[in-house]
Amino acid sequence: MATVDVIKCCMDSIRQMSDEIRDAIIYLDSGCTESFEYLGAFSLFLELGAHAICSLEKISPLDKVVDWNSTSGPAKKIVVITSRLLSDAHRYIIRCLSALQTVCSCAIFTCISETGHSAYPESPLGPDAYREYESLLVQDYEELARKSLMDSSHAGESTVKESTSAEDEGWSQSTTIEEDTLNFGSDASAQNLYEDNVIDRTGDVRKKLKVSVHHFPLILCPFSPRFFVLPSEGSVAEAYLSTEHDNSISFGLPPISTGTTSDGEDVPPGATLTAQFLYHLAAKMDLKLEIFSLGDSSKTVGKLLTDMSSLYDVGRRKRSAGLLLIDRTLDLLTPCCHGDSLVDRMFSSLPHGERMSSLSQAKSSQSPVKLGPAYLQRSPLTVQIPLNNVRKEDTSSSDNFQLVESVEAFLRGWNSRDSTSQMVELVNFSANLGEMSSQDLQSDLLCGSFVSTQNFHGTPYLEAILERRTKDGAMLIKKWLQESLRRENISLNAKIRPGYASISDLQPMLKALAKSQSSLAKNKGIIQLAAAALFALDESYSAKWDAFNSAEKILNVNAGDTSQSLAAQISDLINKSALVSSQGNNKMDAQRGLLTLQDALLLTVVGYILAGENFPSSGTVGPFSWQEEHFMKEAIVDAIVENPTVAKLKFLQGLTQDLEANFNRKSEEKKEGLSNNTESIDFDDDDWGSWGDEDSGKDKRKEQVYDDMQLKLELRDRVDNLFKFFHKLSSLKKNLSFREWSQAMSKFNDDPYSNKGLLYKVLSRVLAKHEVPGLEYHSSTVGRLFKSGFGRFGLGQVNPSLADHDVILVFVVGGINGVEVREAQEALSESSRPEVELILGGTTLLTPNDMFELLLGDCCCV
């Protein structure tokens, strides 16, 4: 029986679109670009006959002249693949149609099903969403065509005007023709070509423009054949998972589990879209799912999945698989901590791509506050691996000039097409390019990225690194570099020491392997991975990660002692961060491993979660006494007052400007006081006349003292609300199911220095066929029928065990991190069934920085 491979399944799904892709321009939105970059699918599109692959959000007039396959004639087909709702992608699709004047066919593939469109509150489409959109798109395009024909005599040139805002309601409002579209040119041949190909003399556009909408569910970011997350700018990952109520901690995380599930209108859009995605993913992989869930949100997703299953699935010959859904909120500690994972280090340190955030921000600003943001601002998964240091020796200024000359030569040819506005833009780009230094130019151009299909003799690079700790991963990269050098017959002048792979060992091997163009192209996979590892292991990034790791270990040890020692340690971290922020340089502090106030607040979150696990009843409200919390609150207040610019936090919104103004005023007063003390005091007759002004000066000082007191009281109120949020985090494991879970997991806590995450503990018990408290099985329609109807005749059905399946799919609702992927593989290898095919997935890939944004940033419910 064939093994389950997420990457192969995605590639096969793309090949099924070959008829639409052939001779078409492919437009991908940011979420699909992120997905297909990890998948390595761009070459497959060209192999299937695509003219070009372009960005949907960054449409350019050059798109219509690009032809990678050298086919004759302009492209008359476009294929749009979007990870968003059709209503969100509409404004970009209409711009594509207006820019490419010869288009006769438009095929749209979206990862959101028709049911998902009708269930999403922000979507105006109904159950027959695809056919509705086909009709609405043609109507809007017909209106655009008529408008352009009427205004063609007044339009002197073709220009693309970017829209600064997008409307939410309706289709006529979602795209402003004058602002968002490409006005058709005054060129007679182009105008005639447009009239012949787009609109006939009777005004019937539908006969000429063929629009079709299809479902393409497999838009995901695979890191390996058995591990994936959802694209950060797709509608599924951006949909909120929790509404604002007492049990919510973040719009991007499931609420705290209380034993109740959401029904009807209370179901968050993120849960609905996640269930839709998993259902169609299983269908594409030809799997019949037995669904198990742990946590309230997971139970809601499991119930939706079960309801989507039909009686028709019973007779199909599908491979049986177990699906385990887990709430991220059940274990917030693991993603908040800086664990032993090279992948987590790389994703935390490497620069990430820019978001196409204009649409998300516009939607979020207009959404009701009580429901949370319409879209979450998740961190992009696309990383930019700097390769400028790899080939720095070979760069020279002449390369820069040659590139500038090439651009100018291209501009001369483009100018002959009489496109003045594009010429001006590209000339400005050429001028800026000429002013750039060689190093800056190379830094912009030479950036690598992760591709899951790149492998070393059949071993995928990312998959192998995910399953190893930091040191083991670095040694494996060193081994791959050595074998690649041996294969290329490249000798090194430097001496490589055996054992642990240090930066001094990896850097010369990497530069030698990338020295020639042929070797760089042939070994690009290992070169990019090694460059990313060097970047993450550099002292400027690793020092702070190691400082975090040490602080977390100290908090963990203190949590095993007393609440007083843990509270004292948290206060000490806050006080030290305040001292660092007021005296140091942020960049130098990071290199020395010094922590800022934001870092201390994240460690406070870790401390409160640990306190909730170890001291659930120490305080009347929280895990600490009033006096212990008072010291921590005062430390945070003093730290913010001393340097308000270091903490851009949600709980300080509306107060930041006043704090900064107060800080600046005190700084100026301190400088003036110092300057007055250095000057000599001369008693003159004129000074006697100023004595009458003392009363006014005292009144002014009184007003300033009063304002300072008011500001500090307001700040204390904000900090009190912050600690109420900390109390909520510490109470995650106070309900009955968590107490049962803690008792069941006690056997895994024999070694206090080897704390495993929840995923490891659950899988270890599942594979050993031990009971998992709170784990719920979702019976299918037939299963419920046997249980309720035929059970009275002795034909009842016994609930299956998750460990009985040869394929287990685990999906963490809210996100997963690299440490959990490694620990899940460890749990599988240590079990009695290492042959089980384990597939891991999550809403997104979480780093400690992401958890800070979710818990204390714009997404939090403080």
Side-chain angles (χ1 to χ4, degrees):
M1 187 174 292
T3 59
V4 178
D5 189 330
V6 176
I7 296 177
K8 183 178 181 299
C9 187
C10 292
M11 290 294 197
D12 291 342
S13 296
I14 294 175
R15 289 188 177 94
Q16 294 172 7
M17 302 159 49
S18 58
D19 292 339
E20 288 82 3
I21 292 174
R22 188 179 300 110
D23 299 329
I25 297 178
I26 310 297
Y27 279 96
L28 308 176
D29 69 359
S30 52
C32 291
T33 302
E34 201 172 59
S35 171
F36 294 146
E37 182 176 304
Y38 276 93
L39 193 60
F42 297 130
S43 58
L44 178 60
F45 282 116
L46 298 177
E47 179 186 324
L48 295 175
H51 274 233
I53 305 167
C54 307
S55 170
L56 182 63
E57 294 91 348
K58 294 183 178 180
I59 183 174
S60 167
L62 300 178
D63 294 345
K64 57 188 175 184
V65 299
V66 176
D67 188 358
W68 289 98
N69 279 315
S70 300
T71 56
S72 59
K76 296 187 178 182
K77 294 197 313 182
I78 67 170
V79 172
V80 177
I81 309 178
T82 176
S83 59
R84 294 188 178 277
L85 296 163
L86 292 170
S87 55
D88 293 341
H90 178 70
R91 63 192 290 255
Y92 300 111
I93 296 173
I94 204 75
R95 289 177 64 195
C96 284
L97 292 174
S98 62
L100 305 177
Q101 303 168 7
T102 59
V103 170
C104 299
S105 174
C106 175
I108 303 169
F109 292 85
T110 174
C111 71
I112 310 298
S113 66
E114 290 186 298
T115 306
H117 275 88
S118 62
Y120 197 83
E122 297 291 327
S123 174
L125 299 173
D128 197 12
Y130 292 170
R131 296 195 61 176
E132 288 178 25
Y133 183 72
E134 290 172 3
S135 175
L136 290 166
L137 178 60
V138 170
Q139 289 177 13
D140 277 4
Y141 185 60
E142 180 179 6
E143 180 184 351
L144 171 65
R146 296 186 186 285
K147 177 74 174 177
S148 299
L149 286 175
M150 287 189 299
D151 296 344
S152 60
S153 59
H154 302 288
E157 57 187 23
S158 296
T159 57
V160 178
K161 298 182 179 180
E162 297 292 339
S163 173
T164 57
S165 63
E167 299 291 339
D168 290 327
E169 302 294 335
W171 296 99
S172 61
Q173 296 178 353
S174 63
T175 302
T176 304
I177 297 175
E178 290 81 5
E179 294 181 354
D180 273 352
T181 60
L182 181 71
N183 295 324
F184 298 106
S186 58
D187 187 288
S189 60
Q191 189 67 38
N192 293 333
L193 184 62
Y194 168 71
E195 292 179 356
D196 293 339
N197 288 277
V198 179
I199 181 168
D200 63 10
R201 302 304 177 186
T202 63
D204 191 355
V205 178
R206 300 180 187 180
K207 293 180 180 179
K208 297 298 180 181
L209 178 62
K210 180 182 178 182
V211 177
S212 59
V213 181
H214 313 273
H215 187 208
F216 183 77
L218 292 184
I219 296 179
L220 48 85
C221 296
F223 285 75
S224 74
R226 297 185 185 179
F227 171 53
F228 68 90
V229 295
L230 304 178
S232 62
E233 294 193 63
S235 290
V236 184
E238 286 187 338
Y240 57 89
L241 292 168
S242 176
T243 56
E244 191 168 350
H245 53 76
D246 293 340
N247 296 320
S248 300
I249 58 175
S250 173
F251 298 118
L253 294 171
I256 298 173
S257 294
T258 59
T260 59
T261 56
S262 303
D263 292 318
E265 296 180 356
D266 294 333
V267 177
T272 303
L273 294 182
T274 299
Q276 290 280 334
F277 166 78
L278 292 172
Y279 176 80
H280 293 288
L281 173 66
K284 283 290 185 180
M285 293 194 297
D286 205 25
L287 296 176
K288 180 184 176 182
L289 297 179
E290 297 284 354
I291 304 166
F292 301 81
S293 62
L294 192 62
D296 291 351
S297 290
S298 294
K299 290 178 182 178
T300 301
V301 174
K303 183 177 182 299
L304 292 171
L305 273 168
T306 306
D307 293 341
M308 279 186 281
S309 302
S310 65
L311 292 172
Y312 298 103
D313 293 332
V314 178
R316 295 183 181 180
R317 292 184 177 180
K318 291 186 176 182
R319 188 176 182 185
S320 179
L323 171 63
L324 174 61
L325 299 165
I326 301 179
D327 277 12
R328 174 73 278 166
T329 318
L330 298 181
D331 179 17
L332 294 177
L333 192 61
T334 302
C336 282
C337 291
H338 296 67
D340 193 3
S341 169
L342 182 57
V343 171
D344 285 346
R345 283 178 180 256
M346 290 190 293
F347 274 86
S348 295
S349 59
L350 286 169
H352 290 249
E354 296 181 358
R355 286 185 57 89
M356 301 289 180
S357 57
S358 58
L359 179 62
S360 299
Q361 290 174 351
K363 290 275 188 178
S364 297
S365 63
Q366 299 176 10
S367 62
V369 176
K370 66 178 181 178
L371 294 178
Y375 291 97
L376 300 167
Q377 297 287 311
R378 295 197 184 272
S379 176
L381 293 173
T382 302
V383 295
Q384 298 173 347
I385 304 173
L387 300 176
N388 53 315
N389 291 329
V390 175
R391 292 177 54 81
K392 185 179 291 185
E393 298 175 351
D394 301 332
T395 61
S396 63
S397 58
S398 60
D399 297 335
N400 195 355
F401 294 131
Q402 289 176 4
L403 182 57
V404 173
E405 291 174 358
S406 300
V407 172
E408 290 178 350
F410 172 75
L411 294 177
R412 298 291 178 262
W414 184 254
N415 191 31
S416 63
R417 301 291 299 272
D418 196 21
S419 298
T420 308
S421 61
Q422 285 84 1
M423 176 66 184
V424 171
E425 293 179 5
L426 293 175
V427 166
N428 291 336
F429 170 73
S430 176
N432 294 334
L433 193 63
E435 295 174 359
M436 293 174 65
S437 65
S438 176
Q439 185 174 356
D440 292 338
L441 177 66
Q442 196 176 43
S443 177
D444 288 341
L445 295 182
L446 289 181
C447 285
S449 59
F450 290 124
V451 180
S452 59
T453 52
Q454 292 175 345
N455 61 83
F456 185 83
H457 297 317
T459 302
Y461 291 120
L462 279 178
E463 182 180 29
I465 295 299
L466 275 165
E467 298 176 0
R468 286 169 170 79
R469 299 176 183 269
T470 303
K471 289 185 178 180
D472 295 337
M475 289 181 64
L476 184 60
I477 292 174
K478 177 181 175 181
K479 176 184 176 183
W480 284 335
L481 286 172
Q482 288 176 325
E483 294 187 12
S484 299
L485 289 170
R486 191 179 302 113
R487 187 177 55 192
E488 297 292 333
N489 293 323
I490 299 174
S491 58
L492 281 178
N493 296 327
K495 185 177 180 181
I496 305 300
R497 296 171 298 177
Y500 173 68
S502 63
I503 294 179
S504 58
D505 292 333
L506 297 177
Q507 200 160 19
M509 288 192 291
L510 179 60
K511 286 190 174 183
L513 190 61
K515 191 172 184 179
S516 66
Q517 294 286 350
S518 60
S519 177
L520 177 64
K522 190 183 302 182
N523 301 283
K524 60 182 181 297
I526 181 58
I527 288 173
Q528 291 180 120
L529 183 62
L534 280 174
F535 193 88
L537 296 175
D538 187 79
E539 187 178 0
S540 58
Y541 298 100
S542 63
K544 191 167 187 176
W545 185 280
D546 294 337
F548 258 116
N549 186 261
S550 298
E552 288 156 2
K553 287 182 178 178
I554 293 173
L555 291 175
N556 200 9
V557 171
N558 283 301
D561 191 7
T562 61
S563 62
Q564 291 85 354
S565 61
L566 181 58
Q569 187 61 45
I570 294 173
S571 300
D572 186 53
L573 288 170
I574 297 171
N575 289 323
K576 287 181 179 178
S577 69
L579 184 63
V580 168
S581 300
S582 61
Q583 295 182 356
N585 179 289
N586 288 337
K587 188 173 182 180
M588 293 297 296
D589 294 340
Q591 293 178 355
R592 291 180 294 173
L594 301 179
L595 302 177
T596 64
L597 178 59
Q598 294 97 316
D599 303 332
L601 289 176
L602 182 60
L603 289 171
T604 304
V605 169
V606 172
Y608 262 81
I609 295 174
L610 288 171
E613 295 178 357
N614 294 274
F615 319 115
S617 59
S618 293
T620 56
V621 179
F624 300 109
S625 66
W626 179 89
Q627 186 178 14
E628 292 164 356
E629 276 202 348
H630 177 71
F631 289 135
M632 287 187 279
K633 290 179 181 179
E634 288 301 311
I636 292 177
V637 169
D638 293 339
I640 294 174
V641 170
E642 287 297 324
N643 196 353
T645 59
V646 300
K648 303 294 184 182
L649 302 167
K650 185 178 181 180
F651 76 93
L652 293 178
Q653 285 181 359
L655 201 62
T656 306
Q657 292 183 352
D658 294 337
L659 289 168
E660 291 179 359
N662 179 68
F663 175 77
N664 293 333
R665 179 177 56 80
K666 287 187 175 181
S667 299
E668 291 176 0
E669 290 177 355
K670 188 180 294 186
K671 290 180 181 178
E672 291 177 359
L674 291 174
S675 63
N676 292 335
N677 290 334
T678 57
E679 296 177 357
S680 60
I681 303 176
D682 294 331
F683 291 97
D684 199 350
D685 293 340
D686 295 336
D687 294 336
W688 296 97
S690 63
W691 277 24
D693 298 334
E694 289 182 357
D695 293 337
S696 61
K698 289 181 179 178
D699 292 338
K700 186 176 181 181
R701 284 194 295 272
K702 286 181 179 179
E703 290 179 2
Q704 291 176 353
V705 171
Y706 178 76
D707 292 341
D708 292 346
M709 290 178 61
Q710 287 290 104
L711 184 61
K712 207 160 189 178
L713 286 173
E714 176 66 22
L715 179 58
R716 283 197 173 98
D717 289 340
R718 301 289 185 92
V719 173
D720 286 340
N721 290 332
L722 176 65
F723 273 76
K724 290 179 183 177
F725 176 73
F726 290 159
H727 295 162
K728 191 185 294 187
L729 296 179
S730 66
S731 65
L732 288 173
K733 299 189 177 181
K734 281 189 177 181
N735 59 60
L736 180 61
S737 62
F738 274 113
R739 289 202 299 269
E740 293 176 353
W741 174 257
S742 299
Q743 294 172 2
M745 294 294 106
S746 59
K747 65 169 62 179
F748 293 98
N749 296 329
D750 296 335
D751 184 3
Y753 299 100
S754 179
N755 292 322
K756 298 289 187 179
L758 177 71
L759 190 56
Y760 173 88
K761 298 173 182 178
V762 171
L763 284 175
S764 296
R765 292 189 65 83
V766 163
L767 293 172
K769 295 190 175 183
H770 293 157
E771 181 184 358
V772 178
L775 185 66
E776 181 173 319
Y777 170 68
H778 297 265
S779 300
S780 62
T781 306
V782 176
R784 290 196 298 269
L785 181 63
F786 269 97
K787 187 174 182 180
S788 59
F790 298 141
R792 69 189 68 177
F793 303 109
L795 299 174
Q797 190 180 37
V798 179
N799 288 344
S801 170
L802 188 60
D804 294 335
H805 298 88
D806 294 329
V807 179
I808 298 177
L809 170 60
V810 180
F811 190 87
V812 183
V813 180
I816 190 172
N817 73 346
V819 170
E820 292 177 305
V821 176
R822 173 177 57 78
E823 290 182 350
Q825 294 297 332
E826 290 177 359
L828 180 63
S829 61
E830 293 169 2
S831 70
S832 59
R833 296 199 60 201
E835 74 280 359
V836 170
E837 296 183 50
L838 180 64
I839 306 169
L840 299 174
T843 305
T844 187
L845 184 71
L846 292 173
T847 64
N849 295 333
D850 298 328
M851 292 303 296
F852 179 87
E853 291 299 324
L854 288 170
L855 296 175
L856 297 172
D858 292 335
C859 295
C860 72
C861 297
V862 177

